[in-house]
């Protein structure tokens, strides 16, 4: 290797795009497994879409004057000169796929997805440039019952994860497009009277997307925003009835919520119901799940008018929440149950076969075979480092007797030898959480 090769700068991951290391993977697998099982229980089908789409899809759906399109999208021209974008969110891709493959023609759909999204923003804990979302999208259902169902589905997930006491549901209605247009004029007139109080972003939004001013986190603008007209006071009658029926359903289901008239969401395609699940457990208030109705989006992208509602949640932030609140269950830590330890070379083959027989009999068992030889002391060090609860020792005596020695790696107990024929029953007790004799 030349000197110039050794002096080359070390290649590292792109800022805000992180590796998921083996010690973290079990918790992600646990979380994703909880979600996958829950979606099945509600009858939702998984859809998977590409991470790259035509840029026009996001400009037409999200809105040209949103922060995402203006500042955050990873957009590039491919070799054919086409403008492509790494998807910054999942709804537009899901709608595009459903339209392209005829899933919306005289049908209703309940879909969910998971995968990476990309936004070029300042990385911070729980929010990265490549981040992962789980989303739900439903099509063809216009009543408040489906709004209630997707909220109840998310509430059940918090219950399963032990988060239900640490999140708050916030609700609002954005009304019809006609009601929003009339409200928009009121809002512009109000903020023009207080233009000197608006920051640079809000002054820019005043002429393009004034409702987004309500979502500003600038504390210097809190008072002027609080005094702004409330959309809830200017809803059309159909939207008001829709919202009242939704609230009644949530009340009947025992779901607590707060009506937040400043909740507008950051994407242009939302109308009527919008909601967020927020938490204060990560410091300042943060959103862990958000969604709402987007009845006009399919038509906006060239399809027939189709009612739709959904939500998305950020996996990184929810994983961080579980860790912060110490709600990570033992099964999410990915620990081994047993470490198969041949004490010499003669026992390596039999230990290998024993492992296969145990995996056949006990599909839930997590067993790892010691490989690579070494002294008995070094083998025991690796067994302990593996994190397994038990080491199964096979040596000359065990091979001659048809037995195996159990060494307890996490408990102060004497090791014991038992016939190999009894091993499956003993390990079954271990998997069931029972105390071994």
């Amino acid at each position: 290797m030349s000197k110039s090769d050794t002096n080359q700068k070390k290649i590292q991951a792109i800022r805000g795009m992180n590796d998921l290391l083996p010690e973290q993977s079990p918790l992600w697998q646990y979380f994703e497994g909880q979600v996958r099982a829950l979606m099945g229980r509600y009858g939702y089908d998984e859809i998977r879409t590409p991470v790259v789409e035509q840029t026009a899809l996001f400009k037409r759906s999200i809105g040209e004057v949103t922060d995402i399109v203006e500042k955050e999208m990873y957009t590039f021209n491919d070799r054919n000169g086409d403008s492509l974008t790494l998807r910054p969110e999942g709804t537009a891709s899901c709608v595009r796929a459903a339209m392209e493959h005829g899933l919306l023609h005289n049908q209703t759909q309940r879909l969910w997805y998971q995968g990476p999204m990309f936004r070029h923003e300042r990385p911070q804990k729980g929010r990265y440039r490549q981040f992962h979302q789980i989303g739900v999208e439903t099509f063809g259902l216009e009543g408040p019952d489906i709004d209630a169902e997707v909220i109840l589905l998310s509430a059940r997930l918090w219950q399963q994860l032990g988060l239900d006491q640490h999140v708050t549901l916030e609700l609002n209605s954005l009304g019809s497009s006609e009601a929003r247009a009339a409200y928009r004029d009121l809002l512009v007139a109000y903020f023009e009277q207080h233009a000197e109080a608006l920051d640079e972003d809000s002054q820019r939004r005043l002429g393009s997307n004034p409702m987004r001013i309500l979502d500003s986190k600038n504390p210097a603008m809190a008072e002027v925003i609080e005094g702004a007209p409330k959309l809830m006071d200017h809803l059309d009658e159909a939207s008001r009835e829709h919202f009242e029926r939704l609230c009644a359903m949530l009340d009947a289901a025992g779901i607590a919520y707060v009506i937040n008239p400043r909740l507008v969401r950051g994407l242009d395609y939302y109308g009527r119901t919008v909601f967020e699940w927020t938490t204060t457990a990560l410091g300042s208030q943060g959103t862990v799940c958000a969604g709402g109705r987007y009845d006009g989006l399919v038509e906006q992208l060239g399809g027939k008018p189709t009612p739709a509602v959904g939500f998305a949640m950020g996996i990184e932030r929810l994983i961080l929440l579980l860790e912060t609140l110490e709600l990570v269950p033992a099964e999410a830590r990915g620990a081994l149950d047993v470490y198969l330890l041949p004490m010499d070379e003669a026992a390596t083959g039999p230990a290998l076969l024993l492992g296969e027989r145990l995996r056949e009999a006990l599909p839930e068992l997590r067993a790892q075979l010691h490989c690579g030889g070494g002294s008995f002391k070094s083998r025991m060090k690796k067994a302990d480092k593996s994190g397994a609860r038990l080491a199964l020792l096979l040596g000359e005596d065990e091979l001659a007797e048809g037995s195996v020695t159990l060494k307890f790696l996490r408990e102060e107990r004497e090791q014991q030898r038992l016939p190999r024929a009894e091993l499956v029953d003993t390990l079954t007790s271990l998997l069931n959480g029972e105390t071994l004799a």
Side-chain angles (χ1 to χ4, degrees):
M1 181 180 292
S2 68
K3 186 175 181 180
S4 61
D5 289 335
T6 60
N7 290 335
Q8 283 185 351
K9 186 177 180 180
K10 185 186 295 184
I11 297 175
Q12 294 183 317
I14 298 168
R15 184 168 180 253
M17 299 188 180
N18 301 329
D19 299 305
L20 185 63
L21 302 178
E23 64 189 33
Q24 302 163 311
S25 294
L27 178 50
W28 281 64
Q29 292 165 359
Y30 161 77
F31 178 80
E32 292 164 352
Q34 290 284 316
V35 171
R36 182 177 297 278
L38 182 64
M39 296 301 176
R41 292 171 65 191
Y42 277 80
Y44 284 64
D45 298 316
E46 185 179 9
I47 186 169
R48 303 190 185 195
T49 61
V51 296
V52 180
E53 300 272 8
Q54 293 184 43
T55 302
L57 172 66
F58 302 113
K59 286 188 174 181
R60 286 169 58 185
S61 60
I62 297 172
E64 296 256 11
V65 291
T66 57
D67 285 350
I68 295 174
V69 171
E70 289 181 331
K71 304 176 182 178
E72 299 172 2
M73 293 202 313
Y74 281 91
T75 297
F76 59 94
N77 291 330
D78 71 358
R79 293 186 179 183
N80 295 327
D82 297 323
S83 180
L84 305 180
T85 295
L86 294 175
R87 62 184 183 196
E89 57 96 42
T91 300
S93 293
C94 191
V95 171
R96 190 269 312 149
M99 291 171 57
E100 184 173 337
H101 299 287
L103 302 185
L104 306 182
H105 182 64
N106 295 327
Q107 301 175 70
T108 62
Q109 297 288 347
R110 287 173 164 95
L111 306 174
W112 75 279
Y113 57 83
Q114 64 177 336
M117 311 293 165
F118 303 84
R119 296 185 192 177
H120 192 281
E121 53 185 345
R122 185 173 63 85
Q124 52 188 293
K125 197 168 186 180
R127 188 186 297 274
Y128 305 107
R129 290 178 175 172
Q130 176 177 313
F131 58 100
H132 297 76
Q133 282 189 339
I134 288 172
V136 158
E137 316 290 354
T138 70
F139 301 99
L141 300 161
E142 60 183 352
D145 48 356
I146 189 64
D147 301 28
E149 180 181 271
V150 299
I151 291 173
L152 288 169
L153 185 155
S154 56
R156 187 168 296 278
L157 179 61
W158 312 143
Q159 186 180 40
Q160 286 182 192
L161 296 172
L163 294 172
D164 48 321
Q165 300 302 310
H166 304 280
V167 292
T168 299
L169 174 62
E170 299 185 10
L171 282 180
N172 194 20
S173 176
L174 302 183
S176 66
S177 56
E178 294 80 12
R180 286 196 304 281
Y183 173 71
R184 181 185 185 279
D185 293 339
L186 287 174
L187 206 57
V188 169
Y190 171 80
F191 281 127
E192 282 179 343
Q193 293 174 1
H194 300 83
E196 72 285 349
L198 303 182
D199 58 23
E200 185 178 341
D201 267 354
S202 297
Q203 288 179 357
R204 177 174 52 83
R205 287 169 172 160
L206 186 58
S208 56
N209 195 351
M211 286 180 64
R212 290 286 285 120
I213 300 176
L214 300 175
D215 204 30
S216 172
K217 302 299 187 289
N218 185 345
M221 290 174 48
E223 186 175 344
V224 70
I225 289 175
E226 184 59 33
K230 294 177 171 57
L231 177 55
M232 190 67 73
D233 297 333
H234 301 276
L235 288 182
D236 56 288
E237 191 56 37
S239 295
R240 187 184 308 280
E241 181 187 355
H242 184 101
F243 190 68
E244 289 174 352
R245 289 174 61 199
L246 168 62
C247 291
M249 291 176 185
L250 296 177
D251 289 339
I255 301 296
Y257 56 87
V258 175
I259 296 177
N260 178 0
R262 304 303 177 201
L263 177 59
V264 297
R265 304 292 297 119
L267 306 177
D268 280 1
Y269 50 63
Y270 283 109
R272 286 198 175 177
T273 305
V274 288
F275 66 90
E276 290 187 355
W277 288 95
T278 62
T279 184
T280 56
L282 297 177
S284 60
Q285 182 180 0
T287 301
V288 294
C289 175
R293 277 208 161 266
Y294 51 96
D295 294 343
L297 183 55
V298 174
E299 186 177 14
Q300 191 176 320
L301 292 176
K304 295 181 179 180
T306 304
V309 62
F311 66 73
M313 61 181 74
I315 299 180
E316 282 90 349
R317 182 160 289 193
L318 284 163
I319 294 288
L320 178 60
L321 188 57
L322 290 172
E323 292 176 323
T324 300
L325 296 171
E326 298 182 350
L327 293 173
V328 179
E331 64 265 31
R333 302 185 189 280
L336 289 172
D337 298 309
V338 300
Y339 190 84
L340 293 151
L341 201 158
M343 290 189 280
D344 53 39
E345 291 306 308
T348 298
L352 177 69
L353 296 178
L354 176 60
E356 293 305 301
R357 285 196 292 271
L358 291 176
R359 294 184 187 101
E360 183 72 25
L362 300 168
E364 298 300 314
L365 184 73
R366 287 178 53 86
Q368 187 176 88
L369 173 70
H370 175 86
C371 294
S375 66
F376 179 70
K377 183 178 179 180
S378 70
R379 294 180 193 221
M380 284 305 305
K381 280 186 177 179
K382 289 183 178 178
D384 186 59
K385 190 177 179 181
S386 74
R389 181 176 174 185
L390 286 175
L392 302 184
L393 278 60
L394 276 181
E396 184 178 348
D397 292 343
E398 287 84 0
L399 291 177
E401 297 173 359
S403 64
V404 61
T405 296
L406 275 62
K407 183 171 181 60
F408 296 88
L409 299 175
R410 308 289 160 234
E411 302 170 62
E412 293 293 332
R413 295 178 57 179
E414 290 292 325
Q415 65 184 37
Q416 57 183 260
R417 188 177 296 180
L418 71 158
R420 236 172 285 172
E422 298 177 11
L423 186 56
V424 169
D425 288 342
T426 299
L427 295 181
T428 299
S429 298
L430 171 72
L431 292 174
N432 290 335
E434 300 171 13
T435 301
L436 301 183

